[in-house]
Protein backbone atom coordinates (compact mmCIF):
# COMPACT_ATOMS: atom_id res chain seq x y z
CA UNK A 1 0.00 0.00 0.00
CA UNK A 2 2.80 2.46 0.88
CA UNK A 3 4.58 1.66 -2.39
CA UNK A 4 1.32 2.29 -4.22
CA UNK A 5 0.97 5.69 -2.50
CA UNK A 6 4.61 6.56 -3.25
CA UNK A 7 3.99 5.70 -6.92
CA UNK A 8 1.03 8.06 -6.94
CA UNK A 9 3.24 10.79 -5.44
CA UNK A 10 5.93 10.21 -8.07
CA UNK A 11 3.33 10.44 -10.84
CA UNK A 12 1.81 13.59 -9.33
CA UNK A 13 -1.55 11.82 -8.90
CA UNK A 14 -3.82 13.33 -6.25
CA UNK A 15 -3.83 11.55 -2.89
CA UNK A 16 -7.11 10.54 -1.29
CA UNK A 17 -8.19 11.03 2.31
CA UNK A 18 -7.55 7.32 2.84
CA UNK A 19 -4.01 7.63 1.46
CA UNK A 20 -3.36 10.46 3.92
CA UNK A 21 -4.80 8.46 6.81
CA UNK A 22 -2.68 5.48 5.83
CA UNK A 23 0.52 7.55 5.93
CA UNK A 24 -0.42 9.11 9.28
CA UNK A 25 -1.06 5.64 10.72
CA UNK A 26 2.30 4.09 9.81
CA UNK A 27 3.73 2.25 12.79
CA UNK A 28 6.96 0.45 11.95
CA UNK A 29 10.24 2.34 12.19
CA UNK A 30 11.16 1.35 8.61
CA UNK A 31 7.88 2.66 7.15
CA UNK A 32 8.07 5.88 9.14
CA UNK A 33 11.66 6.49 8.02
CA UNK A 34 10.72 5.95 4.37
CA UNK A 35 7.86 8.44 4.81
CA UNK A 36 10.32 11.05 6.13
CA UNK A 37 12.71 10.32 3.27
CA UNK A 38 9.94 10.76 0.72
CA UNK A 39 8.93 14.05 2.32
CA UNK A 40 12.56 15.20 2.38
CA UNK A 41 13.04 14.48 -1.31
CA UNK A 42 9.94 16.55 -2.09
CA UNK A 43 11.27 19.33 0.13
CA UNK A 44 14.55 19.27 -1.85
CA UNK A 45 12.66 19.54 -5.14
CA UNK A 46 10.17 22.24 -4.10
CA UNK A 47 11.49 24.58 -1.40
CA UNK A 48 15.13 23.44 -1.18
CA UNK A 49 17.18 22.70 1.91
CA UNK A 50 17.83 26.21 3.14
CA UNK A 51 16.30 26.93 6.54
CA UNK A 52 14.76 30.36 7.05
CA UNK A 53 14.60 32.00 10.46
CA UNK A 54 11.65 33.97 11.82
CA UNK A 55 12.80 35.45 15.12
CA UNK A 56 9.73 35.40 17.35
CA UNK A 57 8.99 38.13 19.90
CA UNK A 58 6.34 36.89 22.34
CA UNK A 59 5.67 40.39 23.62
CA UNK A 60 2.62 39.96 25.86
CA UNK A 61 0.63 37.21 27.54
CA UNK A 62 -2.40 39.42 28.18
CA UNK A 63 -5.25 37.57 26.47
CA UNK A 64 -9.01 37.97 26.00
CA UNK A 65 -9.45 34.36 24.97
CA UNK A 66 -10.05 31.37 27.19
CA UNK A 67 -9.10 28.28 25.15
CA UNK A 68 -9.25 25.20 27.37
CA UNK A 69 -5.73 24.00 26.45
CA UNK A 70 -3.70 27.20 26.76
CA UNK A 71 -1.57 28.29 29.74
CA UNK A 72 -2.10 32.02 29.15
CA UNK A 73 -5.91 31.81 28.86
CA UNK A 74 -7.58 34.70 30.62
CA UNK A 75 -8.93 32.55 33.47
CA UNK A 76 -5.49 31.33 34.48
CA UNK A 77 -4.92 33.52 37.52
CA UNK A 78 -1.47 32.03 38.09
CA UNK A 79 -0.08 33.52 34.86
CA UNK A 80 1.87 36.66 35.72
CA UNK A 81 0.78 39.08 33.01
CA UNK A 82 3.29 41.24 31.14
CA UNK A 83 3.45 43.52 28.13
CA UNK A 84 6.64 44.84 26.55
CA UNK A 85 6.80 48.50 25.56
CA UNK A 86 6.93 49.55 21.91
CA UNK A 87 10.61 50.43 22.42
CA UNK A 88 11.39 46.94 23.74
CA UNK A 89 9.59 45.24 20.84
CA UNK A 90 11.38 47.41 18.29
CA UNK A 91 14.70 46.70 20.02
CA UNK A 92 14.19 42.93 19.64
CA UNK A 93 13.27 43.41 15.98
CA UNK A 94 16.44 45.41 15.39
CA UNK A 95 18.48 42.70 17.12
CA UNK A 96 17.02 40.19 14.63
CA UNK A 97 17.92 42.45 11.73
CA UNK A 98 21.51 42.95 12.96
CA UNK A 99 21.78 39.20 13.52
CA UNK A 100 20.87 38.66 9.86
CA UNK A 101 17.54 36.98 10.51
CA UNK A 102 15.47 37.68 7.42
CA UNK A 103 12.16 38.02 9.27
CA UNK A 104 10.46 38.30 12.62
CA UNK A 105 7.15 37.13 14.04
CA UNK A 106 5.25 39.31 16.49
CA UNK A 107 3.05 37.18 18.71
CA UNK A 108 0.98 37.90 21.80
CA UNK A 109 -2.20 36.91 23.56
CA UNK A 110 -5.27 38.13 21.71
CA UNK A 111 -6.73 41.55 22.40
CA UNK A 112 -8.45 44.15 20.28
CA UNK A 113 -8.64 47.39 22.27
CA UNK A 114 -7.77 50.59 20.36
CA UNK A 115 -4.63 51.29 22.43
CA UNK A 116 -3.19 47.89 21.50
CA UNK A 117 -4.12 48.18 17.83
CA UNK A 118 -2.42 51.59 17.65
CA UNK A 119 0.67 50.28 19.40
CA UNK A 120 1.12 47.43 16.91
CA UNK A 121 0.70 49.87 14.05
CA UNK A 122 3.36 52.14 15.53
CA UNK A 123 5.77 49.21 16.07
CA UNK A 124 5.29 48.03 12.47
CA UNK A 125 5.95 51.49 11.06
CA UNK A 126 9.04 51.94 13.19
CA UNK A 127 10.49 48.50 12.33
CA UNK A 128 9.89 49.10 8.63
CA UNK A 129 11.52 52.54 8.77
CA UNK A 130 14.46 51.55 10.95
CA UNK A 131 15.36 48.50 8.82
CA UNK A 132 14.69 50.28 5.49
CA UNK A 133 11.98 47.73 4.81
CA UNK A 134 14.51 44.89 4.88
CA UNK A 135 13.09 42.87 7.74
CA UNK A 136 10.14 40.61 6.88
CA UNK A 137 7.29 40.82 9.42
CA UNK A 138 4.80 38.09 10.25
CA UNK A 139 1.96 38.82 12.66
CA UNK A 140 0.44 36.22 14.95
CA UNK A 141 -2.08 38.28 16.88
CA UNK A 142 -5.30 36.33 16.61
CA UNK A 143 -8.74 37.25 15.34
CA UNK A 144 -9.17 40.92 14.46
CA UNK A 145 -11.56 43.09 12.45
CA UNK A 146 -11.03 43.68 8.73
CA UNK A 147 -10.09 47.27 9.46
CA UNK A 148 -7.39 46.25 11.94
CA UNK A 149 -5.92 43.68 9.52
CA UNK A 150 -5.94 46.40 6.85
CA UNK A 151 -4.16 48.94 9.03
CA UNK A 152 -1.48 46.46 10.08
CA UNK A 153 -0.93 45.37 6.47
CA UNK A 154 -0.51 48.97 5.39
CA UNK A 155 1.91 49.57 8.28
CA UNK A 156 4.18 46.72 7.13
CA UNK A 157 2.89 43.33 8.28
CA UNK A 158 2.79 41.09 5.22
CA UNK A 159 2.36 37.59 6.59
CA UNK A 160 -0.18 36.44 9.16
CA UNK A 161 -0.33 33.24 11.16
CA UNK A 162 -3.71 32.27 12.55
CA UNK A 163 -3.98 28.66 13.57
CA UNK A 164 -7.36 27.07 13.02
CA UNK A 165 -6.34 24.73 15.88
CA UNK A 166 -8.49 21.87 14.52
CA UNK A 167 -10.60 21.78 11.39
CA UNK A 168 -13.24 19.53 12.93
CA UNK A 169 -15.89 22.03 14.13
CA UNK A 170 -17.23 19.59 16.70
CA UNK A 171 -13.78 19.07 18.22
CA UNK A 172 -13.23 22.85 18.08
CA UNK A 173 -16.37 23.16 20.20
CA UNK A 174 -14.99 20.79 22.84
CA UNK A 175 -11.70 22.70 23.13
CA UNK A 176 -13.12 26.21 23.42
CA UNK A 177 -15.79 28.05 25.42
CA UNK A 178 -19.10 28.63 23.60
CA UNK A 179 -18.28 32.23 22.63
CA UNK A 180 -15.23 31.14 20.57
CA UNK A 181 -16.36 30.55 17.00
CA UNK A 182 -14.87 28.20 14.43
CA UNK A 183 -16.73 29.99 11.64
CA UNK A 184 -15.34 33.40 12.63
CA UNK A 185 -11.84 32.00 12.61
CA UNK A 186 -12.39 30.65 9.08
CA UNK A 187 -13.73 34.09 8.07
CA UNK A 188 -10.56 35.72 9.44
CA UNK A 189 -8.41 33.44 7.27
CA UNK A 190 -10.44 34.47 4.23
CA UNK A 191 -10.10 38.17 5.10
CA UNK A 192 -6.35 37.86 5.49
CA UNK A 193 -6.09 36.26 2.06
CA UNK A 194 -8.31 38.95 0.51
CA UNK A 195 -6.21 41.74 1.99
CA UNK A 196 -3.01 40.37 0.44
CA UNK A 197 -1.27 38.74 3.38
CA UNK A 198 0.69 35.51 2.98
CA UNK A 199 -1.56 33.31 5.02
CA UNK A 200 -0.39 30.77 7.55
CA UNK A 201 -2.44 28.43 9.63
CA UNK A 202 -2.01 25.21 11.55
CA UNK A 203 -3.39 22.86 14.13
CA UNK A 204 -2.44 21.15 17.34
CA UNK A 205 -1.57 17.50 16.86
CA UNK A 206 -2.53 14.75 19.28
CA UNK A 207 -5.30 16.70 21.01
CA UNK A 208 -7.69 14.94 23.34
CA UNK A 209 -10.60 13.42 21.34
CA UNK A 210 -8.75 13.99 18.01
CA UNK A 211 -8.70 11.11 15.49
CA UNK A 212 -6.46 10.29 12.52
CA UNK A 213 -9.43 11.16 10.32
CA UNK A 214 -9.47 14.66 11.89
CA UNK A 215 -5.77 15.10 11.12
CA UNK A 216 -6.28 13.98 7.52
CA UNK A 217 -9.08 16.56 7.35
CA UNK A 218 -6.64 19.21 8.60
CA UNK A 219 -4.21 18.50 5.75
CA UNK A 220 -7.04 18.65 3.21
CA UNK A 221 -8.25 21.93 4.74
CA UNK A 222 -4.79 23.46 4.19
CA UNK A 223 -4.94 22.36 0.57
CA UNK A 224 -8.52 23.46 -0.08
CA UNK A 225 -7.85 26.87 1.46
CA UNK A 226 -4.68 27.44 -0.54
CA UNK A 227 -2.61 28.05 2.59
CA UNK A 228 0.92 29.44 2.09
CA UNK A 229 2.54 28.63 5.43
CA UNK A 230 1.96 25.95 8.02
CA UNK A 231 2.81 26.26 11.72
CA UNK A 232 1.59 23.22 13.59
CA UNK A 233 2.88 21.28 16.54
CA UNK A 234 2.06 18.61 19.07
CA UNK A 235 -0.42 19.43 21.81
CA UNK A 236 1.33 19.47 25.20
CA UNK A 237 -0.47 19.59 28.52
CA UNK A 238 -0.45 22.75 30.62
CA UNK A 239 -1.29 21.80 34.19
CA UNK A 240 -3.27 24.94 34.97
CA UNK A 241 -5.85 24.40 32.21
CA UNK A 242 -9.23 22.65 32.12
CA UNK A 243 -7.87 20.04 29.67
CA UNK A 244 -5.04 19.02 31.99
CA UNK A 245 -6.76 15.93 33.36
CA UNK A 246 -8.40 14.75 30.15
CA UNK A 247 -5.35 12.87 28.83
CA UNK A 248 -3.98 10.81 31.72
CA UNK A 249 -2.17 8.62 29.17
CA UNK A 250 -0.26 11.55 27.59
CA UNK A 251 2.70 9.99 25.83
CA UNK A 252 5.62 12.24 24.82
CA UNK A 253 6.97 9.90 22.17
CA UNK A 254 3.57 9.34 20.58
CA UNK A 255 2.99 13.10 20.39
CA UNK A 256 6.41 13.64 18.82
CA UNK A 257 5.94 10.87 16.23
CA UNK A 258 2.50 12.11 15.28
CA UNK A 259 3.78 15.69 15.01
CA UNK A 260 6.60 14.60 12.69
CA UNK A 261 4.29 12.43 10.57
CA UNK A 262 1.99 15.43 10.10
CA UNK A 263 4.95 17.55 8.94
CA UNK A 264 5.97 14.85 6.46
CA UNK A 265 2.47 14.31 5.09
CA UNK A 266 1.87 18.07 4.84
CA UNK A 267 5.07 18.38 2.79
CA UNK A 268 4.03 15.49 0.55
CA UNK A 269 0.51 16.81 -0.07
CA UNK A 270 1.12 20.58 -0.12
CA UNK A 271 4.60 20.49 -1.66
CA UNK A 272 5.73 24.13 -2.06
CA UNK A 273 4.44 25.77 1.14
CA UNK A 274 6.61 26.91 4.05
CA UNK A 275 6.36 24.56 7.03
CA UNK A 276 7.74 25.40 10.48
CA UNK A 277 9.57 22.99 12.74
CA UNK A 278 7.87 24.36 15.84
CA UNK A 279 9.12 24.80 19.40
CA UNK A 280 6.58 22.25 20.68
CA UNK A 281 8.61 19.56 18.84
CA UNK A 282 11.69 20.71 20.74
CA UNK A 283 9.75 20.64 24.00
CA UNK A 284 9.20 16.90 23.51
CA UNK A 285 12.75 16.12 22.41
CA UNK A 286 15.86 18.35 22.51
CA UNK A 287 16.47 17.62 18.81
CA UNK A 288 12.78 17.81 17.86
CA UNK A 289 13.22 20.76 15.50
CA UNK A 290 16.06 19.07 13.60
CA UNK A 291 13.80 16.01 13.31
CA UNK A 292 11.12 18.35 11.93
CA UNK A 293 13.54 19.65 9.28
CA UNK A 294 14.44 16.07 8.32
CA UNK A 295 10.73 15.25 8.03
CA UNK A 296 10.10 18.11 5.58
CA UNK A 297 9.92 21.42 7.49
CA UNK A 298 11.98 24.41 6.26
CA UNK A 299 11.32 27.22 8.76
CA UNK A 300 12.50 27.75 12.35
CA UNK A 301 11.19 30.39 14.70
CA UNK A 302 13.96 31.15 17.20
CA UNK A 303 12.76 32.84 20.36
CA UNK A 304 14.16 36.39 20.49
CA UNK A 305 12.12 37.58 23.46
CA UNK A 306 14.10 39.15 26.33
CA UNK A 307 14.99 36.28 28.66
CA UNK A 308 13.23 37.65 31.75
CA UNK A 309 9.81 37.48 30.09
CA UNK A 310 10.15 34.01 28.57
CA UNK A 311 8.92 32.05 31.59
CA UNK A 312 5.65 34.00 31.66
CA UNK A 313 4.78 33.04 28.08
CA UNK A 314 4.09 29.38 28.66
CA UNK A 315 1.28 28.07 26.51
CA UNK A 316 2.23 24.53 27.62
CA UNK A 317 4.54 23.04 30.26
CA UNK A 318 8.15 22.22 29.45
CA UNK A 319 8.79 25.08 27.03
CA UNK A 320 12.52 25.02 26.18
CA UNK A 321 15.19 27.78 26.26
CA UNK A 322 13.63 29.79 29.10
CA UNK A 323 17.02 30.71 30.55
CA UNK A 324 18.80 31.35 27.28
CA UNK A 325 19.20 34.69 25.57
CA UNK A 326 18.78 35.41 21.88
CA UNK A 327 22.50 35.37 21.13
CA UNK A 328 22.87 31.94 22.76
CA UNK A 329 19.91 30.66 20.72
CA UNK A 330 21.48 31.92 17.50
CA UNK A 331 24.74 30.02 18.10
CA UNK A 332 22.93 26.90 19.26
CA UNK A 333 20.72 26.84 16.18
CA UNK A 334 23.62 27.37 13.82
CA UNK A 335 25.34 24.27 15.27
CA UNK A 336 22.14 22.24 15.13
CA UNK A 337 21.47 23.10 11.50
CA UNK A 338 25.09 22.44 10.53
CA UNK A 339 24.73 19.02 12.15
CA UNK A 340 22.06 17.98 9.66
CA UNK A 341 23.93 19.43 6.68
CA UNK A 342 21.52 22.27 5.88
CA UNK A 343 22.25 25.98 5.41
CA UNK A 344 20.56 29.01 6.95
CA UNK A 345 19.07 31.66 4.65
CA UNK A 346 20.54 34.65 6.49
CA UNK A 347 19.19 38.06 5.43
CA UNK A 348 16.57 36.47 3.17
CA UNK A 349 12.82 36.69 3.55
CA UNK A 350 12.34 33.11 2.43
CA UNK A 351 8.77 33.67 1.23
CA UNK A 352 6.65 30.62 0.60
CA UNK A 353 7.26 29.54 -3.04
CA UNK A 354 3.56 28.70 -3.11
CA UNK A 355 2.74 32.37 -2.50
CA UNK A 356 5.41 33.66 -4.90
CA UNK A 357 4.03 31.50 -7.73
CA UNK A 358 0.52 32.85 -7.17
CA UNK A 359 1.75 36.47 -7.14
CA UNK A 360 3.74 35.97 -10.36
CA UNK A 361 0.72 34.38 -11.96
CA UNK A 362 -1.46 37.36 -10.99
CA UNK A 363 1.12 39.77 -12.41
CA UNK A 364 1.31 38.01 -15.80
CA UNK A 365 -2.43 37.42 -16.17
CA UNK A 366 -3.45 40.74 -14.60
CA UNK A 367 -5.85 38.79 -12.36
N1 LIG B 1 0.04 22.75 23.48
C1 LIG B 1 0.51 23.04 22.25
N2 LIG B 1 0.24 24.18 21.60
C2 LIG B 1 -0.53 25.10 22.24
N3 LIG B 1 -0.97 26.31 21.86
C3 LIG B 1 -1.73 26.83 22.85
N4 LIG B 1 -1.77 25.97 23.89
C4 LIG B 1 -1.04 24.87 23.53
C5 LIG B 1 -0.73 23.63 24.17
N5 LIG B 1 -1.18 23.34 25.38
C6 LIG B 1 -0.75 26.85 20.51
C7 LIG B 1 -2.07 27.16 19.81
C8 LIG B 1 -1.97 28.64 19.51
C9 LIG B 1 -0.48 28.86 19.50
C10 LIG B 1 -0.05 30.27 19.70
O1 LIG B 1 -0.03 28.05 20.55
O2 LIG B 1 -2.13 26.40 18.62
O3 LIG B 1 -2.54 29.00 18.28
FE1 LIG C 1 -6.48 30.73 22.92
FE2 LIG C 1 -4.06 31.03 24.25
S1 LIG C 1 -6.10 31.54 24.97
S2 LIG C 1 -4.47 30.02 22.33
Amino acid sequence: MLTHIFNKIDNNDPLSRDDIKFMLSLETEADIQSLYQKAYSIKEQTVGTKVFFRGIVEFSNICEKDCYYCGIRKSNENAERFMLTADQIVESALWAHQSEYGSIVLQSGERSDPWYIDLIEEVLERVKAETSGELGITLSLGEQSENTYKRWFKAGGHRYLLRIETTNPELYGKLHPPDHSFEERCECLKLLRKLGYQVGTGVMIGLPYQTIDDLAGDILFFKDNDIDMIGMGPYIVHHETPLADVMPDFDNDRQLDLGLKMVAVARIVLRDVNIAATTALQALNPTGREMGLKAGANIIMPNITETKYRASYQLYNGKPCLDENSTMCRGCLQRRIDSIGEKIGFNEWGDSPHFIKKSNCKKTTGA
Side-chain angles (χ1 to χ4, degrees):
M1 176 85 174
L2 192 55
T3 322
H4 177 63
I5 295 176
F6 283 0
N7 283 338
K8 275 183 158 180
I9 297 169
D10 294 340
N11 295 329
N12 259 328
D13 292 341
L15 297 174
S16 67
R17 191 177 188 106
D18 281 343
D19 294 335
I20 293 175
K21 283 167 70 172
F22 186 86
M23 289 189 282
L24 292 174
S25 310
L26 293 174
E27 288 289 347
T28 70
E29 193 50 34
D31 280 350
I32 294 175
Q33 286 309 324
S34 58
L35 180 76
Y36 297 162
Q37 278 159 18
K38 189 54 145 183
Y40 199 81
S41 76
I42 293 176
K43 161 172 153 171
E44 284 174 315
Q45 291 160 36
T46 53
V47 294
T49 56
K50 223 189 249 180
V51 187
F52 296 104
F53 281 180
R54 318 302 190 207
I56 182 163
V57 195
E58 296 165 338
F59 63 84
S60 172
N61 64 355
I62 300 171
C63 189
E64 289 164 3
K65 288 282 179 96
D66 219 10
C67 309
Y68 295 152
Y69 43 82
C70 178
I72 66 164
R73 63 197 296 269
K74 74 169 173 206
S75 301
N76 184 6
E77 285 169 6
N78 295 325
E80 201 182 312
R81 304 290 163 174
F82 74 94
M83 168 90 195
L84 268 61
T85 62
D87 284 349
Q88 286 173 312
I89 305 172
V90 172
E91 197 184 314
S92 296
L94 296 183
W95 180 88
H97 187 235
Q98 281 146 19
S99 308
E100 308 184 304
Y101 288 11
S103 308
I104 54 164
V105 179
L106 299 180
Q107 188 178 81
S108 74
E110 191 172 307
R111 56 191 282 192
S112 50
D113 47 290
W115 177 84
Y116 172 87
I117 293 169
D118 291 351
L119 179 124
I120 302 298
E121 189 173 47
E122 177 201 326
V123 165
L124 290 169
E125 283 165 354
R126 282 177 56 186
V127 172
K128 275 284 141 190
E130 291 182 38
T131 66
S132 313
E134 283 172 8
L135 192 65
I137 310 179
T138 306
L139 301 176
S140 177
L141 307 173
E143 292 170 38
Q144 302 289 343
S145 69
E146 176 163 6
N147 193 39
T148 301
Y149 285 149
K150 245 189 218 164
R151 281 175 56 189
W152 290 347
F153 187 76
K154 189 157 172 266
H158 53 104
R159 308 185 183 118
Y160 206 103
L161 276 178
L162 180 67
R163 287 191 180 179
I164 190 72
E165 313 296 3
T166 171
T167 59
N168 175 345
E170 216 173 291
L171 178 55
Y172 193 95
K174 288 194 182 133
L175 303 172
H176 299 96
D179 62 344
H180 292 31
S181 156
F182 177 77
E183 286 73 26
E184 273 170 34
R185 220 163 167 88
C186 291
E187 276 312 306
C188 284
L189 287 172
K190 286 199 189 116
L191 274 179
L192 291 164
R193 156 88 56 239
K194 186 181 91 176
L195 295 174
Y197 283 95
Q198 276 179 65
V199 180
T201 193
V203 293
M204 280 173 290
I205 303 156
L207 284 161
Y209 320 112
Q210 191 179 43
T211 64
I212 291 291
D213 189 61
D214 292 332
L215 291 171
D218 295 340
I219 303 257
L220 293 169
F221 176 96
F222 302 151
K223 191 163 179 64
D224 294 344
N225 287 277
D226 206 12
I227 293 301
D228 305 304
M229 328 180 284
I230 314 282
M232 60 186 172
Y235 161 71
I236 303 174
V237 173
H238 189 293
H239 294 301
E240 292 158 358
T241 60
L243 277 194
D245 300 325
V246 178
M247 260 177 115
D249 55 345
F250 185 88
D251 176 345
N252 256 36
D253 293 342
R254 179 188 171 272
Q255 295 297 97
L256 179 66
D257 282 354
L258 204 52
L260 293 170
K261 280 193 258 182
M262 276 293 278
V263 167
V265 176
R267 173 60 67 208
I268 289 170
V269 176
L270 303 161
R271 301 185 66 88
D272 57 359
V273 299
N274 277 346
I275 302 179
T278 53
T279 310
L281 292 171
Q282 190 195 358
L284 294 175
N285 184 305
T287 61
R289 285 178 304 180
E290 293 89 299
M291 292 175 180
L293 295 174
K294 293 302 280 178
N298 67 323
I299 301 287
I300 286 200
M301 294 155 70
N303 194 343
I304 60 165
T305 315
E306 246 182 84
T307 312
K308 71 172 174 202
Y309 298 107
R310 292 187 181 192
S312 301
Y313 199 85
Q314 283 204 63
L315 311 176
Y316 47 81
N317 291 124
K319 185 180 178 194
C321 307
L322 296 183
D323 299 326
E324 264 85 271
N325 66 38
S326 307
T327 306
M328 289 155 86
C329 290
R330 187 184 190 275
C332 164
L333 267 170
Q334 184 134 28
R335 283 190 297 280
R336 286 168 181 273
I337 290 166
D338 280 349
S339 79
I340 59 162
E342 297 200 339
K343 294 267 170 288
I344 301 165
F346 282 121
N347 286 322
E348 289 182 62
W349 276 17
D351 278 333
S352 148
H354 186 76
F355 181 81
I356 295 172
K357 276 182 216 155
K358 276 187 295 189
S359 318
N360 290 345
C361 180
K362 269 190 204 149
K363 271 183 220 144
T364 45
T365 60

